[in-house]
Amino acid sequence: MITERDEFFMRRALDEAKNAFYEDEVPVGAVIVRNGEIIASAHNTRESDKNALNHAEIKAIDEACKALGGWRLVGCTLYVTLEPCPMCAGAIINSRVERVVYGAHDKKAGSFGTMLDLTDYPLYKPEVEGGVLSDECSALLSDFFKAKR
């Protein structure tokens, strides 16, 4: 169930996505929350870092693991402005994030229900909620790609 708290933290993820936009990166942002507190935040830096791994989710997971001193992100919720791709969904599953809340659905690579659903496999299954502030998340992505053309 989506709550006001979910919208609040998705807005923080949108702030991160805007940082990516201004850095000429695909505008995806993520925050990881535990006990009502943001413990990690990140945005895409693939282009500037020249690194295919530097998706917002991967960077936020890395930061959260360092903050908590371990690889299991038990009790954490990941808020991300775009539905995770297969790489990021795998990292989410492997890090044991308990809940994922995403904004825009990703018709090209969404791996929590849109293109494929990694929770259909016999793996750890986070709770997944999609479509939170979807219009704002989608608009930021659309504006970015329109400007590129």
Side-chain angles (χ1 to χ4, degrees), residues 68-120:
L68 296 177
W71 63 270
R72 290 179 185 91
L73 299 180
V74 176
C76 292
T77 299
L78 170 73
Y79 293 88
V80 61
T81 58
L82 181 65
E83 182 180 359
C85 71
M87 175 180 73
C88 293
I92 290 163
I93 289 166
N94 283 317
S95 65
R96 306 301 193 265
V97 168
E98 286 189 12
R99 185 168 179 251
V100 177
V101 179
Y102 68 85
H105 296 277
D106 186 349
K107 295 174 187 165
K108 294 180 181 174
S111 297
F112 280 133
T114 301
M115 189 188 85
L116 66 112
D117 194 344
L118 288 186
T119 64
D120 286 344

Coordinates of all heavy atoms in Angstrom, one line a residue, residues 68-120:
L68 N 25.7 0.8 6.9 CA 25.3 -0.2 7.9 C 26.3 -1.3 8.3 O 26.1 -2.1 9.2 CB 24.0 -0.9 7.3 CG 22.8 0.0 7.1 CD1 21.6 -0.8 6.5 CD2 22.4 0.6 8.4
G69 N 27.4 -1.3 7.5 CA 28.5 -2.2 7.9 C 28.2 -3.7 7.5 O 28.7 -4.6 8.2
G70 N 27.5 -3.9 6.5 CA 27.2 -5.3 6.0 C 26.5 -5.3 4.7 O 26.0 -4.2 4.2
W71 N 26.3 -6.4 4.1 CA 25.7 -6.5 2.8 C 24.2 -6.8 2.8 O 23.6 -6.6 1.8 CB 26.4 -7.6 1.9 CG 26.3 -9.0 2.5 CD1 27.1 -9.6 3.3 CD2 25.2 -9.9 2.2 NE1 26.7 -10.9 3.6 CE2 25.5 -11.1 2.9 CE3 24.1 -9.9 1.4 CZ2 24.7 -12.2 2.8 CZ3 23.3 -11.0 1.3 CH2 23.6 -12.2 2.0
R72 N 23.7 -7.1 3.9 CA 22.2 -7.4 4.0 C 21.5 -6.1 4.4 O 21.8 -5.5 5.5 CB 21.9 -8.4 5.1 CG 22.4 -9.8 4.6 CD 22.0 -10.8 5.7 NE 22.5 -12.1 5.4 CZ 23.7 -12.6 5.7 NH1 24.6 -11.8 6.4 NH2 24.1 -13.8 5.4
L73 N 20.6 -5.6 3.6 CA 19.9 -4.4 3.9 C 18.5 -4.7 4.4 O 17.5 -4.2 4.0 CB 19.8 -3.5 2.6 CG 21.2 -3.1 2.0 CD1 21.1 -2.3 0.8 CD2 22.0 -2.4 3.1
V74 N 18.5 -5.5 5.5 CA 17.3 -5.9 6.1 C 16.7 -4.6 6.8 O 17.3 -3.8 7.3 CB 17.6 -6.9 7.2 CG1 16.3 -7.3 8.0 CG2 18.2 -8.2 6.6
G75 N 15.3 -4.5 6.6 CA 14.6 -3.4 7.2 C 14.7 -2.1 6.3 O 14.2 -1.1 6.7
C76 N 15.3 -2.2 5.1 CA 15.4 -1.1 4.2 C 14.4 -1.1 3.1 O 14.0 -2.1 2.6 CB 16.8 -1.1 3.6 SG 18.1 -0.8 4.8
T77 N 14.0 0.1 2.7 CA 13.2 0.4 1.6 C 14.0 1.2 0.6 O 14.6 2.2 0.9 CB 11.9 1.1 1.9 OG1 11.1 0.3 2.8 CG2 11.0 1.4 0.7
L78 N 14.0 0.8 -0.7 CA 14.6 1.5 -1.8 C 13.6 2.2 -2.6 O 12.6 1.6 -3.0 CB 15.4 0.5 -2.7 CG 15.9 1.1 -4.0 CD1 17.1 2.0 -3.8 CD2 16.2 0.0 -5.0
Y79 N 13.7 3.5 -2.7 CA 12.9 4.4 -3.5 C 13.7 4.7 -4.8 O 14.8 5.2 -4.6 CB 12.4 5.6 -2.8 CG 11.5 5.3 -1.6 CD1 12.1 5.1 -0.4 CD2 10.2 5.3 -1.8 CE1 11.3 4.8 0.7 CE2 9.3 5.1 -0.7 CZ 9.9 4.8 0.6 OH 9.1 4.5 1.6
V80 N 13.1 4.5 -5.9 CA 13.8 4.8 -7.2 C 12.8 5.3 -8.2 O 11.7 4.8 -8.3 CB 14.6 3.5 -7.7 CG1 13.7 2.4 -8.0 CG2 15.5 3.9 -8.9
T81 N 13.3 6.3 -9.0 CA 12.3 7.0 -9.9 C 12.0 6.2 -11.1 O 11.0 6.5 -11.8 CB 12.9 8.3 -10.3 OG1 14.2 8.1 -10.9 CG2 13.1 9.2 -9.1
L82 N 12.7 5.1 -11.5 CA 12.4 4.3 -12.6 C 12.5 2.8 -12.2 O 13.4 2.5 -11.4 CB 13.5 4.6 -13.7 CG 13.3 3.8 -15.0 CD1 12.0 4.2 -15.7 CD2 14.5 4.1 -16.0
E83 N 11.6 2.0 -12.7 CA 11.6 0.6 -12.4 C 13.0 0.0 -12.7 O 13.6 0.2 -13.7 CB 10.6 -0.1 -13.2 CG 10.5 -1.6 -13.0 CD 9.4 -2.2 -13.9 OE1 8.8 -1.5 -14.7 OE2 9.2 -3.5 -13.8
P84 N 13.6 -0.7 -11.7 CA 14.9 -1.3 -11.9 C 15.1 -2.2 -13.1 O 14.2 -3.0 -13.4 CB 15.2 -2.0 -10.6 CG 14.3 -1.3 -9.6 CD 13.0 -1.0 -10.4
C85 N 16.2 -2.1 -13.7 CA 16.6 -3.0 -14.8 C 17.0 -4.4 -14.2 O 17.1 -4.5 -13.0 CB 17.8 -2.4 -15.6 SG 19.4 -2.4 -14.7
P86 N 17.4 -5.4 -15.1 CA 17.8 -6.7 -14.5 C 19.0 -6.6 -13.6 O 19.0 -7.3 -12.6 CB 18.1 -7.5 -15.8 CG 17.2 -6.9 -16.9 CD 17.2 -5.4 -16.5
M87 N 20.0 -5.8 -14.0 CA 21.2 -5.7 -13.1 C 20.8 -5.2 -11.7 O 21.2 -5.8 -10.7 CB 22.2 -4.8 -13.8 CG 23.5 -4.6 -12.9 SD 24.7 -3.5 -13.7 CE 23.9 -1.9 -13.6
C88 N 20.1 -4.1 -11.7 CA 19.7 -3.5 -10.4 C 18.7 -4.3 -9.6 O 18.9 -4.5 -8.4 CB 19.1 -2.1 -10.7 SG 20.4 -1.0 -11.4
A89 N 17.8 -5.0 -10.3 CA 16.9 -5.9 -9.6 C 17.6 -7.0 -9.0 O 17.3 -7.4 -7.8 CB 15.8 -6.4 -10.6
G90 N 18.6 -7.5 -9.7 CA 19.5 -8.6 -9.1 C 20.2 -8.1 -7.9 O 20.3 -8.8 -6.8
A91 N 20.8 -6.9 -7.9 CA 21.5 -6.4 -6.8 C 20.5 -6.1 -5.6 O 20.9 -6.4 -4.4 CB 22.2 -5.0 -7.1
I92 N 19.3 -5.7 -5.9 CA 18.3 -5.5 -4.8 C 18.0 -6.8 -4.2 O 17.9 -6.9 -2.9 CB 17.0 -4.9 -5.5 CG1 17.3 -3.4 -5.8 CG2 15.8 -5.0 -4.5 CD1 16.3 -2.8 -6.8
I93 N 17.8 -7.8 -5.0 CA 17.5 -9.2 -4.4 C 18.6 -9.7 -3.6 O 18.5 -10.2 -2.5 CB 17.1 -10.1 -5.6 CG1 15.7 -9.8 -6.1 CG2 17.2 -11.6 -5.1 CD1 15.4 -10.4 -7.5
N94 N 19.8 -9.6 -4.1 CA 21.0 -10.1 -3.4 C 21.3 -9.3 -2.1 O 21.9 -9.9 -1.2 CB 22.2 -10.1 -4.4 CG 22.2 -11.2 -5.3 OD1 21.8 -12.4 -4.9 ND2 22.5 -11.0 -6.6
S95 N 21.0 -8.0 -2.1 CA 21.3 -7.3 -0.9 C 20.1 -7.4 0.2 O 20.2 -6.8 1.2 CB 21.5 -5.8 -1.2 OG 20.3 -5.2 -1.8
R96 N 19.1 -8.1 -0.2 CA 18.0 -8.3 0.7 C 17.2 -7.1 1.1 O 16.7 -7.0 2.3 CB 18.4 -9.1 2.0 CG 19.2 -10.4 1.8 CD 18.4 -11.4 1.0 NE 19.0 -12.7 1.1 CZ 19.8 -13.2 0.2 NH1 20.1 -12.5 -0.9 NH2 20.3 -14.4 0.3
V97 N 17.1 -6.1 0.2 CA 16.3 -4.9 0.5 C 14.9 -5.5 0.7 O 14.4 -6.3 -0.1 CB 16.3 -4.0 -0.7 CG1 15.2 -2.9 -0.7 CG2 17.7 -3.3 -0.9
E98 N 14.2 -5.0 1.7 CA 12.9 -5.6 2.0 C 11.7 -5.1 1.1 O 10.8 -5.8 0.8 CB 12.5 -5.4 3.5 CG 13.3 -6.3 4.4 CD 12.9 -6.2 5.8 OE1 11.8 -5.7 6.1 OE2 13.6 -6.7 6.7
R99 N 11.9 -3.8 0.7 CA 10.8 -3.2 -0.1 C 11.4 -2.3 -1.1 O 12.3 -1.6 -0.9 CB 9.9 -2.4 0.9 CG 8.7 -1.9 0.3 CD 7.7 -1.4 1.4 NE 6.5 -0.8 0.8 CZ 6.2 0.5 0.8 NH1 7.0 1.4 1.4 NH2 5.2 0.9 0.2
V100 N 10.8 -2.3 -2.3 CA 11.2 -1.5 -3.4 C 9.9 -0.7 -3.8 O 8.9 -1.2 -4.1 CB 11.6 -2.3 -4.6 CG1 12.0 -1.4 -5.8 CG2 12.8 -3.2 -4.2
V101 N 10.1 0.6 -3.9 CA 9.0 1.5 -4.4 C 9.6 2.3 -5.6 O 10.6 3.0 -5.4 CB 8.6 2.5 -3.3 CG1 7.5 3.5 -3.8 CG2 8.2 1.8 -2.0
Y102 N 9.0 2.1 -6.7 CA 9.5 2.8 -7.9 C 8.4 3.7 -8.5 O 7.3 3.6 -8.3 CB 10.1 1.9 -8.9 CG 9.1 1.0 -9.6 CD1 8.5 1.4 -10.8 CD2 8.9 -0.4 -9.2 CE1 7.6 0.6 -11.5 CE2 8.1 -1.2 -9.9 CZ 7.4 -0.7 -11.0 OH 6.5 -1.6 -11.7
G103 N 8.9 4.7 -9.3 CA 8.1 5.7 -9.9 C 7.6 5.2 -11.3 O 6.5 4.6 -11.4
A104 N 8.3 5.5 -12.3 CA 7.9 5.2 -13.7 C 8.2 3.7 -14.0 O 9.2 3.2 -13.6 CB 8.7 6.1 -14.7
H105 N 7.2 3.2 -14.8 CA 7.4 1.8 -15.3 C 8.4 1.9 -16.5 O 8.4 2.9 -17.2 CB 6.1 1.2 -15.8 CG 5.1 1.0 -14.7 ND1 5.1 -0.1 -13.9 CD2 4.1 1.8 -14.3 CE1 4.1 0.1 -13.0 NE2 3.5 1.2 -13.2
D106 N 9.3 0.9 -16.6 CA 10.3 0.9 -17.7 C 9.9 -0.2 -18.7 O 10.1 -1.4 -18.4 CB 11.7 0.6 -17.1 CG 12.8 0.7 -18.2 OD1 12.4 0.8 -19.4 OD2 13.9 0.8 -17.8
K107 N 9.3 0.2 -19.8 CA 8.9 -0.8 -20.9 C 10.0 -1.5 -21.6 O 9.8 -2.5 -22.2 CB 8.0 0.0 -21.9 CG 6.7 0.5 -21.3 CD 6.0 1.3 -22.3 CE 4.8 2.0 -21.6 NZ 4.2 3.0 -22.4
K108 N 11.2 -0.9 -21.5 CA 12.4 -1.5 -22.2 C 13.2 -2.5 -21.3 O 13.7 -3.5 -21.8 CB 13.3 -0.4 -22.7 CG 12.7 0.4 -23.7 CD 13.7 1.5 -24.2 CE 13.0 2.3 -25.3 NZ 13.9 3.5 -25.7
A109 N 13.3 -2.2 -20.0 CA 14.1 -3.1 -19.1 C 13.5 -3.3 -17.7 O 14.2 -3.9 -16.9 CB 15.5 -2.4 -19.0
G110 N 12.3 -2.9 -17.5 CA 11.7 -3.0 -16.1 C 11.7 -4.5 -15.7 O 11.1 -5.3 -16.4
S111 N 12.3 -4.8 -14.6 CA 12.4 -6.2 -14.1 C 11.7 -6.5 -12.9 O 11.9 -7.5 -12.2 CB 13.9 -6.5 -13.9 OG 14.6 -6.3 -15.2
F112 N 10.7 -5.7 -12.5 CA 9.8 -6.0 -11.4 C 8.4 -5.9 -11.9 O 7.5 -5.5 -11.2 CB 10.1 -5.1 -10.2 CG 11.2 -5.4 -9.3 CD1 12.1 -4.5 -8.9 CD2 11.4 -6.7 -8.9 CE1 13.2 -4.8 -8.1 CE2 12.5 -7.1 -8.1 CZ 13.4 -6.1 -7.7
G113 N 8.2 -6.4 -13.1 CA 6.8 -6.6 -13.5 C 6.5 -6.1 -14.9 O 5.6 -6.6 -15.6
T114 N 7.2 -5.1 -15.4 CA 6.8 -4.5 -16.7 C 7.3 -5.4 -17.9 O 6.6 -5.8 -18.7 CB 7.3 -3.1 -16.8 OG1 6.7 -2.3 -15.8 CG2 6.9 -2.4 -18.2
M115 N 8.7 -5.5 -18.0 CA 9.2 -6.4 -19.1 C 9.4 -7.8 -18.6 O 9.1 -8.7 -19.4 CB 10.6 -5.8 -19.5 CG 11.1 -6.5 -20.8 SD 12.8 -6.1 -21.2 CE 13.7 -7.2 -20.2
L116 N 9.8 -8.0 -17.4 CA 9.9 -9.3 -16.8 C 9.8 -9.1 -15.3 O 9.8 -7.9 -14.8 CB 11.3 -10.0 -17.1 CG 12.5 -9.4 -16.6 CD1 13.2 -10.3 -15.6 CD2 13.5 -9.3 -17.8
D117 N 9.7 -10.2 -14.6 CA 9.5 -10.0 -13.1 C 10.4 -11.0 -12.4 O 10.1 -12.2 -12.4 CB 8.1 -10.2 -12.7 CG 7.8 -9.8 -11.3 OD1 8.7 -9.6 -10.5 OD2 6.6 -9.6 -11.0
L118 N 11.5 -10.5 -11.9 CA 12.5 -11.4 -11.2 C 11.9 -12.0 -9.9 O 12.4 -13.0 -9.4 CB 13.8 -10.6 -10.9 CG 14.7 -10.4 -12.1 CD1 16.0 -9.8 -11.6 CD2 14.9 -11.6 -12.9
T119 N 10.8 -11.4 -9.4 CA 10.1 -12.0 -8.2 C 9.4 -13.3 -8.6 O 8.9 -14.0 -7.7 CB 9.2 -11.0 -7.5 OG1 8.1 -10.7 -8.3 CG2 10.0 -9.8 -7.0
D120 N 9.3 -13.6 -9.9 CA 8.6 -14.9 -10.3 C 9.6 -16.1 -10.1 O 9.1 -17.2 -10.2 CB 8.3 -14.8 -11.8 CG 7.0 -13.9 -12.1 OD1 6.3 -13.6 -11.1 OD2 6.8 -13.5 -13.2

